[in-house]
Amino acid sequence: MEKTQLQQRIDILDYLRGFALLGIIFMNIISMMSPELPALNSQDAAYQRFLYLFVEGRFYSIFSFLFGIGFYIFMTRALAKGNNGYILFLRRIVALLAIGFIHQMFQPGEALALYAICGLLLIPFYKLPKHINLLIALAGIIVFSYLGNKLLLTFPLILLGLAVGQYRVFERLSSLHKHIWGFTIIMLMLSAVGLWYQVQYLPSKPFFPYLLGGVLDPFLIQVNQFLNIGIMIGPIVSASFIGILILLLQLKAVQTLLAPLKYYGRMALTNYLSQTVLILLAAQWLQQSGTTTYMQTFYVCFAIHLILILFSMAWLRLFKIGPMEWLWRAVTYMQVPPLFKKNMK
């Protein structure tokens, strides 16, 4: 593998992680702050519709997919260096499970603990042929998407990331340019059809975003259908987002423009946890006014992104990796990794 290819692959994955971080907070904050039901025909109502059409389940799918790619990269590099990749990965997963368990106390909808469990299940698949993993992943995505089960979708999405890693797609992006164009166009067309279908079930008024079983109320049935369709088409919309971003990042000007996103993604674990901390602080402040609106959650997310992106850029000027990434690596390898950049010692 050539050094330039390796660097490009890492950079693009960091951009994608940063992009996933941008979106995932907009749904996490809803579950954490429980904003009041928007008034009919209000700005809050319009924003709620936007969230459940273009954000819910879209960025979580990207995060899950990237976790699978990260697993492949970690195992492949560890084994190539002569290390026992399985033992190292088990340590890594146990550490992630512990972080996720603590994080869950403050953010009940957090994904780290679930990713750790899925990571354990993923280990036997590393040795399976790539086409087998791809077929199992696609079958799982189709079945669980149809069932509208977001929780069960996680593992096949992660497995898809492993399969894509096995196919070395991100090492060969320059030679796959036409294929990525074709893939993106197809995903965009399918996304357009899927979103059009979801809009047909768009609730006539603001709603509480919870799937309820055994309901007979026609409005609640419509809400359930709307949310289920959103889960069903989520991986397709996510795939179109990924394709668009990859194509845009082939342009140097876009790489420069979106460089802050790369720094955000390089510290994905630190920033994911920091988002929760800042949401909790914002919630304490907003509670003084009595209620929280959907648009207020948007402004909070925007401010959090600004703070954390600037923090990431400043931190990575001095240090090699983020603070939580450093701790995670220390536990994985059972040694203290270097933190400062060489020219900062």
Side-chain angles (χ1 to χ4, degrees), residues 112-160:
L112 300 180
L114 177 59
Y115 284 175
I117 294 170
C118 288
L120 290 174
L121 299 175
L122 197 64
I123 293 174
F125 291 87
Y126 180 75
K127 287 293 186 180
L128 287 183
K130 55 190 176 184
H131 60 278
I132 297 296
N133 282 334
L134 180 62
L135 289 174
I136 295 173
L138 292 177
I141 290 171
I142 291 170
V143 170
F144 296 131
S145 293
Y146 178 76
L147 295 175
N149 194 313
K150 183 179 175 182
L151 182 66
L152 293 180
L153 258 175
T154 305
F155 183 76
L157 286 167
I158 292 174
L159 183 58
L160 179 62

Side-chain angles (χ1 to χ4, degrees), residues 48-326:
Q48 186 193 50
R49 290 194 294 271
F50 173 83
L51 284 178
Y52 288 92
L53 282 170
F54 298 103
V55 182
E56 165 62 3
R58 292 22 172 174
F59 295 88
Y60 175 81
S61 296
I62 296 174
F63 233 34
S64 302
F65 170 73
L66 292 172
F67 184 82
I69 295 179
F71 165 77
Y72 172 78
I73 292 172
F74 179 86
M75 290 293 294
T76 302
R77 287 181 175 177
L79 294 172
K81 292 177 180 178
N83 296 321
N84 189 327
Y86 297 97
I87 296 298
L88 292 177
F89 186 71
L90 283 173
R91 286 187 200 147
R92 189 173 179 83
I93 283 301
V94 170
L96 187 66
L97 184 63
I99 294 170
F101 179 75
I102 296 171
H103 187 225
Q104 200 170 46
M105 298 178 185
F106 305 96
Q107 214 272 73
E110 76 93 37
L112 300 180
L114 177 59
Y115 284 175
I117 294 170
C118 288
L120 290 174
L121 299 175
L122 197 64
I123 293 174
F125 291 87
Y126 180 75
K127 287 293 186 180
L128 287 183
K130 55 190 176 184
H131 60 278
I132 297 296
N133 282 334
L134 180 62
L135 289 174
I136 295 173
L138 292 177
I141 290 171
I142 291 170
V143 170
F144 296 131
S145 293
Y146 178 76
L147 295 175
N149 194 313
K150 183 179 175 182
L151 182 66
L152 293 180
L153 258 175
T154 305
F155 183 76
L157 286 167
I158 292 174
L159 183 58
L160 179 62
L162 168 59
V164 168
Q166 290 176 312
Y167 276 98
R168 297 188 176 275
V169 170
F170 285 92
E171 289 97 331
R172 302 185 296 120
L173 284 179
S174 58
S175 63
L176 295 174
H177 192 68
K178 291 183 179 179
H179 294 84
I180 295 171
W181 263 106
F183 169 82
T184 304
I185 290 171
I186 292 171
M187 290 300 105
L188 279 171
M189 292 173 63
L190 291 175
S191 296
V193 173
L195 288 168
W196 173 84
Y197 180 56
Q198 187 182 7
V199 168
Q200 307 311 303
Y201 293 88
L202 185 67
S204 57
K205 58 183 180 180
F207 55 91
F208 289 107
Y210 307 113
L211 285 169
L212 302 172
V215 297
L216 299 177
D217 184 281
F219 176 73
L220 294 180
I221 291 173
Q222 184 181 20
V223 171
N224 276 358
Q225 289 174 318
F226 175 75
L227 295 176
N228 268 312
I229 294 170
I231 295 172
M232 182 174 67
I233 67 173
I236 297 173
V237 179
S238 300
S240 66
F241 286 171
I242 291 174
I244 291 170
L245 188 56
I246 289 175
L247 290 173
L248 288 174
L249 287 171
Q250 303 311 302
L251 303 173
K252 292 292 184 182
V254 175
Q255 291 180 22
T256 302
L257 181 65
L258 298 183
L261 207 60
K262 179 174 66 175
Y263 294 109
Y264 204 23
R266 283 184 180 173
M267 291 172 48
L269 179 60
T270 296
N271 286 323
Y272 179 67
L273 297 173
S274 298
Q275 285 180 354
T276 296
V277 173
L278 293 177
I279 289 173
L280 291 173
L281 292 174
Q284 290 293 322
W285 178 65
L286 288 174
Q287 281 178 359
Q288 298 176 7
S289 63
T291 59
T292 303
T293 67
Y294 267 81
M295 287 308 301
Q296 283 176 330
T297 67
F298 170 79
Y299 300 137
V300 169
C301 290
F302 183 85
I304 289 174
H305 283 320
L306 183 61
I307 292 169
L308 292 181
I309 288 174
L310 291 174
F311 168 71
S312 299
M313 294 174 68
W315 180 275
L316 291 173
R317 287 178 65 88
L318 304 175
F319 306 103
K320 291 184 175 183
I321 54 177
M324 288 306 300
E325 286 76 14
W326 178 85

